Amino acid sequence: MERQYKHLSSPITIGRKTFRNRMFSAPMGGTDITNDGCIGPKSAAFYELRAKGGAAAVTVSECMVHKTDGSHAYRLDESILNSLAGATYAADAIRRHGAIPSLELSHSGMFAGTYMTDKTKQHELVQYGPCDTVRADGVKVKALDEALITEIVHAYGHVASLAKRAGFEMVMIHGGHGWLINQFLSPLFNHREDEYGGSLENRCRFAIRVLKSVREAVGPDFLIEFRMSGSEFTEGGYGLEDGVEIAKMIEPYVDIIHVSAGTYQKTFGITHPSMFEEHGRNVFLAAEIKKHVSKTVATIGGLNDPEQLEEIIASGKADIVYMARALLADPFLPRKVVENRPEEIVKCLRCFTCMAERAATSTRRCTVNPLIGREMEGDEIQKAPTKRKVVVVGGGPGGLYAAYTAARRGHDVTLYEKENELGGILKSEQAISFKHEMYELSGTYALLAKRAGVTFKMNTEATKELIEKENPYAVIIATGSTPLVPPIPGLKGDNVIVVNNYYKEKDKVTDHVVVFGGGLAGCECAIHLGMEGKHVELVEMRDQLAPDANVRHRPLLLAQVDKYVQAHTGLKGLEVTPNGILCEDKDGNKVTIEGTTVICALGQRSTTKTVEELQDTAPFVRVIGDAAKVSTITNTVYWGYHAALDI
């Protein structure tokens, strides 16, 4: 067959190893890490799914190589019971699906233990880095002496040899993102005056010693990949010019140069590009480095579109494209590319739910993929023992995913949508420049549902009489929520637009806007309007903006608010006038926030009336998403999926 994306789908041979395509699964940490650092079965299943989905290589992240690293992460140590076994099972789970298993070897250096949940223990630890210092969180950092440097260098080699024994066929040496090797490479962290500091050649010395140690341990035919930041994008760090020189210096000792960007502590939203960044915003780093080296070059950074991925390979910007979050959103993205099914790809929203959930609960979730973090429960949809008639009410993300899943189980599924367009609340995202993928999501879900056999009845409100006439066995109520518009004088005036309707009424928005409500929706709309060049005021009664945003997205969101919006917290809106909003502060003082257009973003409320009407229309009734509780896309998709599995 002719591949639609022939460059992306083509194999690549590196050394004596052939990879089935150019799409690699980037390192992402597992979840069930045991107290002594073993890879648990949930993590093995987590990595296996991306191998099953067609990635050419899957990298297990991160294995800490030495006892001086206090991070709670994977260890590979033959003295720890089940350590080698856990790694072996993980490598086997990847390899049996045709992907090459790789293990990322790392040392967090001065930032070890940063994310430990036991903060008391964290502050009792002494961490090690290039220099004596004190971290921003008060933890002392001690400079590594020559004896410890040599010990850590040898540890990299030893752990690499164990990885090889466990069945991994490649190791990725993590030399970027602010971890120990990067700390030696970077003038931001490295102020040593000995042979490891000063000149770039000296700052590369530790990395080269590590790579030589690994090569000696694994032999000439085992693949070594070096992950580096092409530029640190922060004051005091190194730029692309030094990135090129670093790549040239380490090239003789590696098989793949993996070019990432930034430092985890300083440039999180660049290292892991947020929705406010362009897709592939770091590709230029790999493209420039590739001009100066002959070894295989890989790139990464917010990539999820096969057209862009194909162009990167075809134009020679890189030889390999890595994806992380994109393969959580759709682990089968590589297979869909190779099999000419790109329209079925469920794209990553870059919402950081995956990383925020890991920080909050040490588990994984993905907004658009309910399998993530629960892979052991099974990724194969089993046919139901009895075919049932199923009605889904509401064509938002939860309803669409429920209908899709129920149809895949063999049920006769009809979805009712009272409007002429699917998507529910996601329709409003089509006008927000950096959230268009959320709008696209409903179209992808709808396509998948149609191909699975769902019947759609548009412009049809599902009344009790209609449903009872259908006589279904199961009804899934996914009617969502409606905007909260409290009885504030003037809030229904001609100069007011409810945020959900902005996409339909954006031509009415003037150049001076007041966004009424500083939750996630209000902040994102305000940022978008600011990006368009409008003067934007934001009014919020609470002391904080966007408390409903997740812990990874919120700091990046607030940085954009600071850039584009004049925010006012602690103000209660009393009245909307043609000139803005009359507010009251905590001391009872009246103040008018001026603007000729007001965007109402005061939240949502569940469609309880519809739920009550349809509650007894079938033997099996399940209420999901905002109809049950105003929440997140993550929950509505997850609940919809499981509602369908329960029928």
Side-chain angles (χ1 to χ4, degrees):
M1 63 179 284
E2 184 175 348
R3 309 287 182 187
Q4 184 175 350
Y5 302 101
K6 61 182 181 180
H7 295 91
L8 195 55
S9 302
S10 64
I12 182 171
T13 299
I14 305 170
R16 296 186 178 182
K17 192 73 61 183
T18 298
F19 298 82
R20 58 188 173 188
N21 58 59
R22 306 302 182 98
M23 295 167 281
F24 287 21
S25 177
M28 290 194 80
T31 54
D32 59 337
I33 304 168
T34 66
N35 285 337
D36 49 7
C38 296
I39 303 173
K42 285 189 189 331
S43 294
F46 171 76
Y47 296 113
E48 180 177 11
L49 183 58
R50 279 174 281 171
K52 195 172 182 180
V58 176
T59 308
V60 173
S61 164
E62 301 181 48
C63 182
M64 300 304 172
V65 298
H66 194 261
K67 62 187 177 182
T68 51
D69 191 335
S71 298
H72 181 57
Y74 298 138
R75 308 280 165 170
L76 192 47
D77 184 337
E78 62 266 62
S79 70
I80 298 174
L81 184 65
N82 291 325
S83 178
L84 192 58
T88 302
Y89 283 126
D92 175 69
I94 294 165
R95 192 62 179 91
R96 65 191 178 202
H97 298 290
I100 302 300
S102 177
L103 183 64
E104 183 180 43
L105 306 187
S106 188
H107 192 304
S108 304
M110 64 181 286
F111 294 113
T114 308
Y115 305 107
M116 291 175 65
T117 54
D118 186 342
K119 299 304 179 185
T120 301
K121 184 176 180 180
Q122 179 193 102
H123 282 263
E124 289 173 351
L125 296 171
V126 173
Q127 303 299 358
Y128 290 87
C131 305
D132 289 331
T133 188
V134 178
R135 287 192 333 209
D137 60 0
V139 172
K140 293 180 180 178
V141 179
K142 188 174 181 179
L144 288 164
D145 59 22
E146 178 60 38
L148 267 179
I149 287 174
T150 299
E151 192 175 313
I152 292 170
V153 165
H154 290 159
Y156 270 98
H158 180 64
V159 176
S161 72
L162 293 177
K164 182 179 179 180
R165 189 196 305 182
F168 288 94
E169 299 177 32
M170 181 164 71
V171 290
M172 177 188 289
I173 308 303
H174 199 338
H177 300 176
W179 304 135
L180 182 61
I181 293 176
N182 177 251
Q183 289 161 26
F184 272 90
L185 294 174
S186 173
L188 181 66
F189 304 111
N190 186 348
H191 308 293
R192 296 175 73 109
E193 297 180 354
D194 61 3
E195 61 181 331
Y196 295 100
S199 68
L200 187 57
E201 182 180 2
N202 281 357
R203 286 185 273 126
C204 285
R205 192 178 305 277
F206 177 67
I208 291 171
R209 286 191 64 188
V210 166
L211 292 169
K212 285 181 175 179
S213 173
V214 171
R215 177 57 72 203
E216 183 178 355
V218 298
D221 298 326
F222 190 86
L223 296 183
I224 300 175
E225 180 172 11
F226 187 77
R227 189 181 214 190
M228 62 173 287
S229 294
S231 171
E232 293 185 292
F233 292 113
T234 189
E235 186 177 352
Y238 65 78
L240 178 54
E241 185 177 344
D242 279 357
V244 168
E245 294 305 312
I246 291 168
K248 288 162 64 176
M249 286 189 212
I250 59 97
E251 182 183 16
Y253 313 102
V254 303
D255 301 288
I256 303 172
I257 300 172
H258 172 126
V259 184
S260 186
T263 65
Y264 201 82
Q265 300 76 24
K266 298 281 187 179
T267 61
F268 181 87
I270 293 176
T271 302
H272 314 278
S274 74
M275 64 175 63
F276 305 113
E277 300 283 346
E278 291 183 12
H279 287 284
R281 59 98 61 221
N282 295 325
V283 172
F284 78 98
L285 301 172
E288 182 59 32
I289 285 172
K290 186 166 167 52
K291 296 174 185 176
H292 301 273
V293 298
S294 58
K295 294 289 177 66
T296 302
V297 173
T299 190
I300 190 170
L303 301 168
N304 67 5
D305 177 38
E307 293 287 343
Q308 183 180 28
L309 301 178
E310 174 74 2
E311 190 279 329
I312 289 168
I313 304 300
S315 66
K317 292 184 176 74
D319 304 295
I320 293 164
V321 288
Y322 265 98
M323 291 170 279
R325 289 171 290 169
L327 298 187
L328 296 183
D330 195 338
F332 290 86
L333 184 156
R335 278 183 60 174
K336 290 176 181 178
V337 167
V338 172
E339 295 171 9
N340 296 345
R341 297 185 288 128
E343 72 281 358
E344 294 184 8
I345 293 171
V346 179
K347 290 185 178 179
C348 169
L349 307 181
R350 299 192 293 175
C351 62
F352 289 120
T353 292
C354 53
M355 303 180 82
E357 190 67 33
R358 190 163 183 254
T361 66
S362 297
T363 64
R364 283 274 189 208
R365 282 275 175 108
C366 173
T367 292
V368 300
N369 186 353
L371 289 177
I372 297 305
R374 284 118 186 107
E375 294 85 358
M376 286 188 68
E377 297 170 13
D379 61 280
E380 299 284 353
I381 298 295
Q382 303 297 325
K383 291 291 184 182
T386 304
K387 183 176 181 178
R388 304 286 195 178
K389 190 169 188 178
V390 179
V391 167
V392 177
V393 183
L400 287 168
Y401 208 90
Y404 166 55
T405 306
R408 291 172 73 197
R409 298 197 68 222
H411 295 306
D412 178 7
V413 185
T414 302
L415 184 146
Y416 286 91
E417 170 54 53
K418 67 179 181 179
E419 298 186 11
N420 63 359
E421 185 182 359
L422 296 166
I425 200 169
L426 295 186
K427 294 195 297 289
S428 63
E429 308 293 10
Q430 63 188 278
I432 306 297
S433 53
F434 47 84
K435 297 187 73 178
H436 201 268
E437 277 157 330
M438 287 194 180
Y439 171 64
E440 293 175 23
L441 176 66
S442 56
T444 306
Y445 280 172
L447 174 68
L448 293 171
K450 286 174 184 174
R451 289 186 175 178
V454 175
T455 299
F456 288 86
K457 295 195 175 180
M458 306 299 294
N459 298 302
T460 306
E461 186 165 0
T463 63
K464 181 178 181 181
E465 292 74 24
L466 180 61
I467 300 300
E468 288 179 341
K469 186 177 179 181
E470 287 269 10
N471 193 30
Y473 169 78
V475 173
I476 297 174
I477 303 172
T479 48
S481 57
T482 56
L484 182 61
V485 184
I488 294 173
L491 196 53
K492 295 185 179 180
D494 291 339
N495 64 326
V496 179
I497 298 171
V498 175
V499 69
N500 303 47
N501 296 328
Y502 166 70
Y503 75 102
K504 295 187 288 189
E505 303 179 59
K506 59 183 181 179
D507 290 342
K508 292 169 53 178
V509 179
T510 63
D511 289 335
H512 195 172
V513 186
V514 182
V515 176
F516 193 9
L520 180 59
C523 286
E524 289 180 337
C525 184
I527 292 165
H528 164 74
L529 293 169
M531 287 178 171
E532 286 195 330
K534 300 184 187 299
H535 180 85
V536 184
E537 310 276 352
L538 181 63
V539 173
E540 170 55 46
M541 184 169 64
R542 295 166 293 189
D543 292 331
Q544 290 186 326
L545 296 174
D548 50 337
N550 71 55
V551 68
R552 295 299 188 206
H553 182 56
R554 186 169 182 268
L556 304 171
L557 176 85
L558 295 181
Q560 296 295 315
V561 170
D562 288 343
K563 186 175 180 180
Y564 292 107
V565 180
Q566 180 65 47
H568 309 271
T569 57
L571 291 183
K572 180 181 179 181
L574 301 177
E575 181 181 359
V576 176
T577 73
N579 299 316
I581 304 177
L582 177 64
C583 302
E584 181 180 75
D585 67 17
K586 293 180 179 179
D587 298 323
N589 301 311
K590 302 293 192 298
V591 57
T592 296
I593 305 300
E594 295 184 353
T596 47
T597 300
V598 173
I599 305 287
C600 177
L602 295 173
Q604 300 288 120
R605 58 169 41 143
S606 298
T607 54
T608 53
K609 183 179 179 181
T610 305
V611 172
E612 290 169 2
E613 181 184 357
L614 303 181
Q615 189 67 59
D616 298 314
T617 52
F620 178 103
V621 176
R622 183 72 59 83
V623 185
I624 67 167
D626 278 8
K629 177 186 177 182
V630 174
S631 184
T632 61
I633 304 172
T634 313
N635 281 340
T636 192
V637 171
Y638 186 74
W639 296 345
Y641 173 69
H642 283 281
L645 292 183
D646 288 345
I647 301 171

